[in-house]
Amino acid sequence: MITYLQAAVIGAVQGVTELFPISSLGHSVLVADWVGGSWKQVTLGRSGRGATYLAFVVALHVATAVALLGYYWRDWLAIVGGFVSTLRTGRVVTVPQRLAWLIVLATLPVAILGPLLDRTLHALFDTPIDTSLFLTLNGVVLVVGEGLRRRNEPTLAEYGRRFGRREVHRSVLDGEPRLPRQVDRPLAALGALDAIGIGLAQAGALLTGFSRAGLTMVGGLWRGLENEHAAKFAFLLATPTILGAGLVELPELAEPRIAAIRGPVLLGAVVSGTCSWLAVRYLERYFRTRTLLPFAAYCIIAGILSVIRFL
């Protein structure tokens, strides 16, 4: 059983950590194991041993996806319109059209690997120690990603002096960007292989403790994006991934065994969606001027402390 308090707390943790690059599933595991008692019992279904908790998590993920759709609704109207127009004309010309196909390509790796490996990997690496180690490694990967971003800083600074910082941070949906491909490529300048590479990075989050948003951002930095653009692509890419996975499992919520906890499930979903909205709003502004390093430090410290705690 899940109490209203547990549903609200877990929903808040899910809503924030799904978009912060610090692993939502890793936190749902470790927070419960740190607290222990009835909190640990709630999450026993995380690897498939208890369908009740999995149904609860499905509701939280759908709420997060809805929050992302709501926050980026203008972008998604343009992207979906671009996708439909390419099907009609057979041409990819505008920024929304390119973004639509980049998102499709980047979603393919997790769409293929997720159904094959998701529950198997969770079952194999379901202990607090495994999760703690992967959370620590997630922090290391974020440090590597920040190093990839700084590799391009000299050229980016020179471009900023020549053309002005406003041009450097211009939104790709405001018009066709004029940034050189090898400096700070905006989203629409990514190629098909770039999108697939970022999608493969996102698939690493199938291991509990790695962050979907964090790995996707690092993939974007690897392919030449700056933090601001890498974060936005991560959030756009997360939307169909989270929503698709949630909708596949949504019938679980109609099962009779869920009837007793539908109230807590609804509360958790509302809290998760609200926290996701606030998180993406904060992070979109944060990454305009700041880096992944604070999140990296947090993951490494929290991961090491958790390893010591659960040895």
Side-chain angles (χ1 to χ4, degrees), residues 91-108:
R91 301 175 61 199
V92 179
V93 179
T94 67
V95 170
Q97 288 173 341
R98 287 186 59 82
L99 281 176
W101 284 103
L102 289 171
I103 290 171
V104 169
L105 291 172
T107 303
L108 286 178

Side-chain angles (χ1 to χ4, degrees), residues 16-125:
V16 172
T17 57
E18 182 67 47
L19 301 177
F20 276 61
I22 56 176
S23 178
S24 61
L25 188 54
H27 276 73
S28 71
V29 171
L30 292 177
V31 169
D33 283 314
W34 270 92
V35 176
S38 63
W39 289 80
K40 184 174 181 178
Q41 293 300 313
V42 166
T43 64
L44 284 177
R46 62 196 180 221
S47 66
R49 294 193 298 271
T52 300
Y53 184 69
L54 290 180
F56 175 58
V57 170
V58 166
L60 302 187
H61 278 88
V62 171
T64 294
V66 169
L68 286 171
L69 281 173
Y71 189 85
Y72 287 114
W73 69 270
R74 291 186 181 87
D75 299 66
W76 279 110
L77 281 179
I79 290 168
V80 171
F83 179 76
V84 172
S85 67
T86 61
L87 294 179
R88 186 177 63 251
T89 65
R91 301 175 61 199
V92 179
V93 179
T94 67
V95 170
Q97 288 173 341
R98 287 186 59 82
L99 281 176
W101 284 103
L102 289 171
I103 290 171
V104 169
L105 291 172
T107 303
L108 286 178
V110 75
I112 295 170
L113 296 175
L116 295 175
L117 301 176
D118 187 32
R119 295 198 178 188
T120 300
L121 290 176
H122 287 172
L124 288 174
F125 303 105

Side-chain angles (χ1 to χ4, degrees), residues 252-266:
E252 292 280 348
L253 294 176
E255 294 291 328
R257 64 177 179 274
I258 306 302
I261 62 165
R262 285 207 176 108
V265 167
L266 179 60

